[in-house]
Amino acid sequence: GENVEQHPSTLSVQEGDSAVIKCTYSDSASNYFPWYKQELGKGPQLIIDIRSNVGEKKDQRIAVTLNKTAKHFSLHITETQPEDSAVYFCAASTVSAGGFKTIFGAGTRLFVKA
Amino acid sequence: KAGVTQTPRYLIKTRGQQVTLSCSPISGHRSVSWYQQTPGQGLQFLFEYFSETQRNKGNFPGRFSGRQFSNSRSEMNVSTLELGDSALYLCASSLGLAPDQFFGPGTRLTVL
């Protein structure tokens, strides 16, 4: 079946460094790729997304890249801050006339050390 | 605009009981999706409702069911609870025509 692989499962960086999280998806029909941040005791929060007709998107310190040929996409966080510490999930959605279906990666726990 | 709300936030049940969880989407959103989150399995899709109709369903047993009302509010029901049903149940809403989803805080269900 369809799946999304996410690496690494844990990432520890020094404050101010960059963090990169990578995901690979299997369903070639996937056309929407969101990233979520989940803090302790809260639901996932959408932080950035990219659609299949775009190769890169940036929002301040966060950027996402997509390679449809290789079926992988990545999240880049620059100038990390302690408040970036959380679990990050990538996802791949397939949109059709019948609605959409979203598969999530297993998550990456990011620690930013002050 | 108010976000997605879920009630109750915490529930403790015993095996064999049933439970109903509620989700109120963001105003104007017509699609509600439900997910089960556990440490071992991550975020798994249960089902999605749009305009009171189930559009998509994940691979969960029939003990898991849901419905959506005309005001887009949704409920999820789990019958004959098992220990393995202990999880955080998340609801997400979207306009329905695109998959941009916004999550609620979740309901933490513990089955003893």
Side-chain angles (χ1 to χ4, degrees):
Chain A
E2 301 100 350
N3 76 304
V4 174
E5 292 189 5
Q6 183 173 345
H7 299 281
S9 57
T10 306
L11 180 59
S12 184
V13 300
Q14 203 67 37
E15 182 179 2
D17 287 350
S18 295
V20 179
I21 303 171
K22 298 182 178 182
C23 290
T24 304
Y25 61 98
S26 62
D27 186 356
S28 56
S30 295
N31 48 15
Y32 173 71
F33 307 90
W35 285 87
Y36 290 88
K37 174 185 180 182
Q38 187 173 26
E39 295 173 311
L40 200 60
K42 297 183 179 180
Q45 177 192 5
L46 179 67
I47 56 172
I48 196 169
D49 56 20
I50 191 167
R51 285 176 162 79
S52 59
N53 57 347
V54 175
E56 184 173 355
K57 183 177 178 180
K58 190 173 181 181
D59 182 5
Q60 299 182 340
R61 297 186 297 109
I62 295 173
V64 58
T65 59
L66 171 66
N67 182 328
K68 281 223 77 179
T69 304
K71 293 187 196 170
H72 64 70
F73 56 114
S74 301
L75 177 72
H76 304 251
I77 306 174
T78 58
E79 300 172 26
T80 53
Q81 300 166 4
E83 51 265 38
D84 293 331
S85 296
V87 179
Y88 291 81
F89 293 94
C90 64
S93 290
T94 305
V95 181
S96 65
F100 58 86
K101 185 175 180 181
T102 301
I103 307 295
F104 284 81
T108 295
R109 187 172 296 276
L110 174 65
F111 295 96
V112 180
K113 296 176 285 186
Chain B
K1 216 181 226 187
V4 178
T5 58
Q6 293 187 245
T7 57
R9 292 294 311 278
Y10 302 91
L11 264 179
I12 299 176
K13 293 285 187 180
T14 56
R15 278 181 300 174
Q17 288 187 310
Q18 74 164 15
V19 67
T20 299
L21 313 182
S22 180
C23 170
S24 292
I26 292 171
S27 178
H29 284 195
R30 295 166 63 191
S31 168
V32 172
S33 297
W34 289 90
Y35 294 86
Q36 182 194 66
Q37 186 176 31
T38 59
Q41 298 297 318
L43 271 157
Q44 292 196 292
F45 172 71
L46 282 153
F47 28 66
E48 185 236 350
Y49 286 87
F50 178 76
S51 292
E52 302 179 66
T53 300
Q54 186 181 86
R55 280 200 302 196
N56 284 293
K57 189 177 188 305
N59 297 322
F60 277 80
R63 300 185 297 107
F64 292 81
S65 63
R67 59 177 176 168
Q68 187 180 33
F69 302 95
S70 58
N71 62 357
S72 294
R73 190 178 70 85
S74 177
E75 287 183 347
M76 190 191 98
N77 185 275
V78 187
S79 63
T80 320
L81 285 165
E82 301 177 358
L83 294 178
D85 296 333
S86 294
L88 181 67
Y89 289 89
L90 292 159
C91 159
S93 79
S94 74
L95 287 170
L97 303 177
D100 315 49
Q101 297 182 84
F102 297 88
F103 283 86
T107 294
R108 171 75 62 185
L109 171 65
T110 302
V111 182
L112 303 175

